[in-house]
């Protein structure tokens, strides 16, 4: 009968126990090094970043600036076109009358004889493409036909005449009205004030 000797089992069991203990110790040491802050290089997860790279931000900013400039340029062009359109619509009918009125007023002393027959009303800049324009209403308050010459001065904040425009009306019947438009060609700034300077009936 074969019987395993107890003395032979004990050394084998002892070897296994030592190996197991060593393995646990090695695992434990590895954990301690990690927890003690040992340096390890790690590649960050790109998916965790949000936003744009500097080059992309610069490109987006440039696009935004270019877009804003384009819109401003388009708005300026539109306003200029509107102003030109308005001026053209009234210049054809007042050009000759303006020249005649200027010639007629050359020999007039003072304010003329028809100041009470002329009134002025400012036109909204939204209707004139941003230009400063006044509607000059001329009413023939006499009992016979008459022609009129009117001078409109545009003054700055100090009261200095910056620009002068002339309008007129010919052969108005008694009680009839004419409404020529006096337009300043100066820039919107500084703001000018229109003034009725002369009005002559002839």
């Amino acid at each position: 009968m074969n019987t395993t000797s107890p003395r032979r089992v004990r050394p084998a069991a002892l070897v296994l126990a030592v190996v197991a203990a060593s393995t646990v110790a090695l695992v434990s040491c590895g954990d301690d090094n990690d927890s003690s802050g040992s340096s390890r290089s790690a590649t960050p997860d790109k998916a965790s970043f949000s936003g744009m790279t500097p080059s992309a931000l610069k490109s987006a900013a440039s696009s935004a600036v270019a877009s804003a400039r384009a819109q401003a340029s388009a708005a300026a062009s539109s306003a200029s076109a509107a102003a030109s359109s308005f001026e053209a619509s009234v210049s054809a009918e007042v050009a000759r009358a303006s020249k005649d009125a200027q010639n007629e007023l050359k020999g007039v002393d003072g304010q003329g004889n028809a100041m009470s027959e002329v009134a002025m009303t400012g036109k909204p800049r939204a209707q004139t493409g941003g230009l400063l324009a006044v509607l000059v209403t001329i009413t023939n308050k006499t009992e016979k036909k008459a022609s009129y010459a009117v001078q409109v001065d545009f003054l700055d904040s100090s009261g200095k005449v910056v620009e002068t425009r002339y309008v007129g009306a010919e052969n108005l019947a008694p009680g009839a009205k004419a409404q020529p438009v006096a337009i300043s060609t100066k820039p919107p700034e500084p703001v000018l004030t229109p003034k009725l300077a002369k009005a002559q009936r002839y």
Side-chain angles (χ1 to χ4, degrees):
M1 180 176 176
N2 293 331
T3 304
T4 304
S5 172
R7 293 180 181 179
R8 293 182 181 179
V9 174
R10 290 178 183 175
L14 181 59
V15 171
L16 290 175
V18 171
V19 172
S22 299
T23 303
V24 172
L26 288 174
V27 172
S28 177
C29 288
D31 291 342
D32 289 344
N33 287 338
D34 288 344
S35 62
S36 64
S38 60
S39 60
R40 293 190 303 172
S41 61
T43 302
D45 184 5
K46 293 182 179 180
S48 65
F49 289 95
S50 61
M52 304 172 67
T53 62
S55 59
L57 287 172
K58 183 177 180 180
S59 176
S62 298
S63 297
V65 170
S67 177
R69 286 178 178 173
Q71 291 177 4
S73 177
S77 298
S78 178
S80 177
S84 298
S85 176
F86 172 77
E87 192 169 12
S89 69
V90 299
S91 63
E93 60 185 73
V94 302
R96 184 176 59 83
S98 175
K99 185 176 181 180
D100 291 344
Q102 183 175 4
N103 291 333
E104 191 65 33
L105 288 171
K106 285 181 179 179
V108 174
D109 293 329
Q111 293 182 315
N113 61 11
M115 290 290 286
S116 63
E117 297 174 67
V118 179
M120 295 193 311
T121 304
K123 292 185 70 66
R125 289 182 185 266
Q127 298 178 5
T128 65
L131 294 174
L132 173 58
V134 291
L135 185 67
V136 181
T137 301
I138 303 170
T139 304
N140 183 359
K141 297 181 180 180
T142 69
E143 296 180 355
K144 60 180 181 180
K145 283 186 178 182
S147 296
Y148 294 82
V150 178
Q151 176 181 324
V152 178
D153 289 340
F154 292 91
L155 288 62
D156 62 15
S157 59
S158 67
K160 178 183 177 181
V161 177
V162 176
E163 185 179 20
T164 297
R165 306 293 283 178
Y166 299 92
V167 296
E170 294 182 343
N171 300 318
L172 280 183
K177 292 183 179 181
Q179 292 184 309
V181 179
I183 306 172
S184 171
T185 60
K186 299 298 182 181
E189 298 293 339
V191 177
L192 302 179
T193 301
K195 176 185 177 182
L196 179 60
K198 291 183 179 182
Q200 180 73 12
R201 181 180 63 253
Y202 62 95

